[in-house]
Amino acid sequence: SEGAVNLGGIDATRSGSTKDIARIMGFDSLTNYQFVHIVGLSAYKNYLDVLKDIQKEWERIDRDYSIPYYPHISVGWDNNLRHKHFVPGIITDNTPENFEKGLLMAKEYLDRHPNITPLITVNSWNEWTEGSYLEPDTVSGYGYLEAIKRVFKL
């Protein structure tokens, strides 16, 4: 249903209304931890398609909550390194260039919300067994860190 969303981080075994949880627990802001907790990944999903789903989620949060939301961007997802057999649910094409598009989307979100602290959460520095890491490697080099530098001009 429209009001049922994943409550990952609160109780990963249940779905329901996060509005109730936020009120009961006295939260004064929201963010996410990983794209996979927000979008469904039954098989493979392209990073750019995931960003479209994330954009819809941010719109839902803006509509349904009065507390600030700090946009979240994940580097990717593939936790098959943790398993002996293939586990479906992989974000594909999570290149530094596509990650940069996500960062730009988050920056634009913050630009549209000048009343909140400009904070973006990113997953993750070193989640190698989840396929979600910023650390330089032999495939992308410093690509993800360079994307951050380009977007935020550090």
Side-chain angles (χ1 to χ4, degrees):
S1 73
E2 176 64 27
V5 296
N6 183 313
L7 296 177
I10 303 291
D11 182 346
T13 63
R14 295 179 28 194
S15 293
S17 171
T18 56
K19 287 186 237 177
D20 293 334
I21 297 295
R23 180 183 46 77
I24 291 167
M25 296 187 75
F27 293 165
D28 60 6
S29 64
L30 297 168
T31 193
N32 297 105
Y33 175 70
Q34 170 50 261
F35 282 170
V36 72
H37 299 158
I38 306 168
V39 300
L41 292 176
S42 59
Y44 299 96
K45 196 164 200 171
N46 184 283
Y47 193 89
L48 296 177
D49 292 332
V50 170
L51 288 181
K52 291 175 190 173
D53 291 343
I54 295 302
Q55 182 70 47
K56 290 177 188 171
E57 177 66 2
W58 293 354
E59 291 168 6
R60 184 192 69 79
I61 290 169
D62 274 352
R63 181 184 68 242
D64 291 351
Y65 294 89
S66 59
I67 58 178
Y69 174 76
Y70 297 105
H72 168 78
I73 298 296
S74 293
V75 179
W77 180 261
D78 179 357
N79 72 343
N80 275 282
L81 287 172
R82 294 179 173 174
H83 304 279
K84 291 182 180 181
H85 303 285
F86 177 75
V87 176
I90 296 172
I91 295 177
T92 62
D93 206 20
N94 56 319
T95 63
E97 294 77 19
N98 286 341
F99 173 69
E100 184 171 340
K101 291 174 184 175
L103 293 172
L104 287 167
M105 191 173 88
K107 185 177 183 305
E108 290 167 3
Y109 178 93
L110 290 174
D111 289 345
R112 290 191 311 274
H113 297 81
N115 56 325
I116 66 170
T117 302
L119 173 71
I120 295 170
T121 62
V122 177
N123 175 279
S124 172
W125 176 250
N126 63 351
E127 287 286 6
W128 292 86
T129 61
E130 292 181 354
S132 188
Y133 56 88
L134 292 168
E135 283 182 309
D137 66 6
T138 57
V139 175
S140 299
Y142 286 82
Y144 296 105
L145 296 174
E146 290 168 350
I148 292 170
K149 182 178 182 179
R150 283 190 299 274
V151 171
F152 299 103
K153 299 179 181 37
L154 300 173

